Amino acid sequence: MQRPNAWSDYSEQQLEAVQKFAGEYRQFISDNKIEREICSASIAMARQAGYRDLAELVESGEPLKAGDKVYASNHGKGVLLVQLGTMPLAEGLNILGAHIDSPRLDVKQNPMDEKNEIVTLDTHYYGGIKKYQWVTIPLALHGVIVKTDGTVVPVTIGEAADDPVFCVSDILIHLSKDQMGKTAADAIEGEMLDVIIGNRPVKLDDKKENKTPVKTALLDLLKTNLEIEEEDFLSAELEVVPAGPARDMGLDRSMILGYGHDDSSCAYPSLVAQLECEAPQKTAVTILVDKEEIGSVGATGMTSRFFEDAMAEILELAGEGGELNLRRCLRRSRMLSSDVSAAFDPTFASVFELKNSCFMGHGLTFNKYTGSRGKSGSNDADAEYMAEIRGCMDKAGVHYQTAELGKVDAGGGGTIAYILAKYGMNVIDCGVPVLSMHAPWETISKADVYEAYKGYEAFLKLA
């Protein structure tokens, strides 16, 4: 039951639409690489589309009605978008849920270190990575430094053409006998992922001694350019990501090579589908969350009460407040957990089961279940819900396929699906097939990200 390749079915007009959407997506992920940036850009797009801040509406007590559009920010690292439908909220929601964090290196709180006139920033890797993939590639710094007076200093260094970049060094092949004898997991250890940021010492008076002349010079630069002191790193969130824009890949330009396809290739189509949705019957919701890569924990992860609390506020403003109505609303909802899947890779065919794999260019992928081994940690969607979704996609002419996350016992993974399913709503995972998932640079098909947009758009229209 292998599904057809989407490219072979496209008309010239559809091909233009695919390339246009893919180009806009490629630009979005090049400009917005971390959760704060994606959240900020999403809110800006939402406001332009007529969405209003839920916090301001709660403060004013302004009632909500069908057609109203609201957003809520979660600590600037996640966002909820809601367009009220004509049906009562207690009848449920159509929810798209994606995450906007990606594997990376996080700068530690006390990071600066000088050894033999090379200064590095110590890092702690975030999410599941192969550590050896992060050495000797150009890296950029993104994030914020917050001073004790509340001043927020945004940081983006390494993206502009004339910006400096950073890197983690590796041992030269000529001296790597011991390293080459180690397993791939041990060849580069976590504490070796130190990002080199400088080598030029400060000029000193001959009579003065300075044991860290390069660090001193760099702190002077930070003071001059960003007006920060070394202690300000204590209240900083700096993320190290691959430097440079996403690129078209392949002679035929059919693919995109970029950082953060997991999960921006699902978050962006979800966002656009939400913003373009008009006059839905059932209330349309998109939630973009943080911390999925480390278990959806913390105040900005899906396990927080943010979504539930925001919906309670919306029900109250819509005249449907109360605990029972909130429970009914959530239980009667349906959700697409918009997260990527593992594209079949012929180079590593041994870890895939061919009949139950997804293929690049064959469209949006549905994973009835994820999890590990015996489906551990999985949401397992009902057959009835799968049938409803099949009907929705078929009616809208969406190219879609189904898959598992590799062979049984080969590994596995999870998403936010099980967290929303605890309310009793129907949830299924669906997203874009990705090659080299969790690598600094991942690969997707332009056709698949476009079909994801079409599929999400069709889903939000369901009554």
Side-chain angles (χ1 to χ4, degrees), residues 96-99 263 266-267 270 335-340 428 430-431 456:
L96 299 172
H99 66 91
D263 190 34
C266 298
S270 298
M335 180 190 182
L336 296 185
S337 173
S338 309
D339 209 338
V340 297
I428 190 168
C430 76
Y456 298 159

Side-chain angles (χ1 to χ4, degrees), residues 241-254:
V241 300
R247 302 285 295 273
D248 278 358
M249 179 171 159
L251 293 174
D252 56 4
R253 295 182 178 269
S254 60

Side-chain angles (χ1 to χ4, degrees), residues 87-149:
M87 296 169 61
L89 284 160
E91 292 299 311
L93 320 165
N94 287 335
I95 306 169
L96 299 172
H99 66 91
I100 54 177
D101 60 317
S102 295
R104 60 181 189 255
L105 307 179
D106 283 344
V107 175
K108 290 185 179 182
Q109 309 268 225
N110 186 15
M112 292 189 76
D113 191 23
E114 178 171 345
K115 292 177 182 176
N116 303 104
E117 298 181 333
I118 291 180
V119 173
T120 59
L121 294 179
D122 293 338
T123 68
H124 193 136
Y125 63 90
Y126 173 98
I129 68 169
K130 294 179 179 178
K131 296 184 284 291
Y132 66 82
Q133 293 179 328
W134 286 79
V135 300
T136 72
I137 63 172
L139 298 170
L141 277 174
H142 289 243
V144 295
I145 299 171
V146 185
K147 300 198 283 189
T148 54
D149 64 0

Side-chain angles (χ1 to χ4, degrees), residues 198-212:
N199 177 234
R200 180 179 174 180
V202 67
K203 282 191 175 182
L204 295 172
D205 188 299
D206 290 340
K207 296 180 181 179
K208 292 183 179 178
E209 183 182 359
N210 189 325
K211 293 182 179 180
T212 56

